[in-house]
Amino acid sequence: MGSLLTDRVAVISGGGGDIGGGIARRFALEGAAVVVCDISQTKADTVAAEINRSGGRATAVCVDVSKPAECEAAAARAIAAYGKITTLVNASATVSPDGNVETIQLVDWQRALEVNFTGMFLMCKYVMGHIRTAGGGAVVNIASSHGHFGLPGRSAYCSTKAAVMHFTRVLAIDYGPDNIRANTISPGPIDTERSLRRYGSRENSNRVRGIGQVLGRTGTVEEVAAAAAFLASEEAAFITGTDLRVDGGQTAFKGSSLERYSS
Ligand SMILES: NC(=O)c1ccc[n+]([C@@H]2O[C@H](COP(=O)([O-])OP(=O)(O)OC[C@H]3O[C@@H](n4cnc5c(N)ncnc54)[C@H](O)[C@@H]3O)[C@@H](O)[C@H]2O)c1
């Protein structure tokens, strides 16, 4: 497709998922070698195989991002396969049961933090040194519009996504001198298997997620992947420590209805 990411080697956590997989496919089309990391070996294998079949370069690695040794091993696999790492995308996340603080089980709260937040920290912990050794690069962490506003019963998910954004600002400050940029993407309502699973139907998903006010549609995995390719590339060379909302205007207008002004 293009050459935005020629010579890059990208490690992508949650790379077997809808958005992570879309990012892996787009990065490969832009010339990057991709290391598809996922807790599901099958999902990682599927995405990597598809990329390799279509002429790209991909390696699948099974990793639970909440386990330090597995994150370290994933980085080592990337180095063994491609000799360097220039780019890290953290797209893994878990969906925890809804509830208020009285009803959320501690184990579910802790798992959300472990996967959505600590997992990202651990992947950064074991990858940043390799990106520095490569002479610099970029990190793209996937947050969410739900890190900008709350949803009832989803304190764990919403808090971890807000935390991802603030963590990434500090990461950008710490690693700017090493020529490593770090940014987040906050996807809004994106059509994925996971949102369908969560909300049951597209109509219910649209209702709950407050869709329809600005662009009047949900987003696609490809639209998130395009933003990630941009942020990972030299096109975004002076962009670091920021959040790019790929949300169709969801966070610009969070009302219940929009009456268009007509003169
Ligand atoms: N779908 C949306 O509308 C939407 C909106 C905003 C933000 N997001 C964010 O985008 C990212 C991807 O979401 P998605 O919709 O593609 O979901 P998804 O479930 O398809 O992808 C998440 C992937 O993470 C993997 N994963 C889960 N736990 C893991 C662990 N411990 N270690 C490694 N991998 C693990 C899963 O196997 C899955 O493949 C997530 O961070 C999510 O919070 C999604």
Side-chain angles (χ1 to χ4, degrees):
M1 177 187 263
S3 54
L4 274 181
L5 301 174
T6 302
D7 290 335
R8 306 296 161 83
V9 177
V11 171
I12 303 176
S13 91
D18 282 314
I19 289 177
I23 292 172
R25 282 186 280 270
R26 177 65 191 262
F27 276 27
L29 284 171
E30 295 291 348
V34 293
V35 180
V36 182
C37 300
D38 206 284
I39 197 168
S40 159
Q41 178 79 61
T42 310
K43 287 167 83 174
D45 282 343
T46 303
V47 171
E50 192 191 316
I51 290 170
N52 287 322
R53 262 198 316 275
S54 47
R57 290 175 302 155
T59 299
V61 179
C62 182
V63 48
D64 179 345
V65 295
S66 71
K67 302 213 162 79
E70 294 190 20
C71 297
E72 190 171 15
R77 285 282 301 278
I79 296 294
Y82 302 113
K84 65 178 178 181
I85 303 172
T86 63
T87 312
L88 172 65
V89 177
N90 284 299
S92 48
T94 189
V95 180
S96 42
D98 291 357
N100 63 27
V101 292
E102 292 167 279
T103 59
I104 292 174
Q105 299 300 306
L106 180 58
V107 65
D108 294 326
W109 171 266
Q110 285 172 332
R111 187 64 184 158
L113 262 68
E114 270 175 15
V115 177
N116 301 2
F117 189 43
T118 307
M120 186 198 59
F121 161 81
L122 288 172
M123 288 301 290
C124 290
K125 184 172 188 60
Y126 294 110
V127 165
M128 297 308 283
H130 292 298
I131 303 183
R132 186 198 298 112
T133 302
V139 178
V140 180
N141 290 327
I142 306 300
S144 171
S145 56
H146 297 159
H148 292 277
F149 61 83
L151 273 184
R154 299 202 66 197
S155 56
Y157 183 77
C158 295
S159 312
T160 59
K161 291 303 184 176
V164 163
M165 282 184 254
H166 210 55
F167 170 86
T168 306
R169 290 182 192 106
V170 179
L171 192 74
I173 294 165
D174 285 345
Y175 286 89
D178 294 316
N179 192 33
I180 305 175
R181 297 177 298 101
N183 294 290
T184 52
I185 290 175
S186 285
I190 307 300
D191 268 337
T192 56
E193 283 296 316
R194 175 181 144 109
S195 20
L196 267 187
R197 265 199 320 274
R198 176 163 190 89
Y199 296 105
S201 67
R202 195 169 181 191
E203 292 67 37
N204 195 42
S205 158
N206 288 357
R207 188 182 58 75
V208 175
R209 300 199 286 174
I211 294 157
Q213 291 96 346
V214 179
L215 292 183
R217 66 172 178 87
T218 46
T220 66
V221 161
E222 289 74 21
E223 286 166 331
V224 179
F230 164 69
L231 285 176
S233 78
E234 279 306 297
E235 296 291 304
F238 201 53
I239 301 176
T240 195
T242 196
D243 177 60
L244 179 53
R245 301 178 190 197
V246 183
D247 69 357
Q250 185 189 30
T251 51
F253 179 77
K254 193 69 188 83
S256 54
S257 70
L258 177 64
E259 255 182 58
R260 299 275 177 193
Y261 174 77
S262 58
S263 53

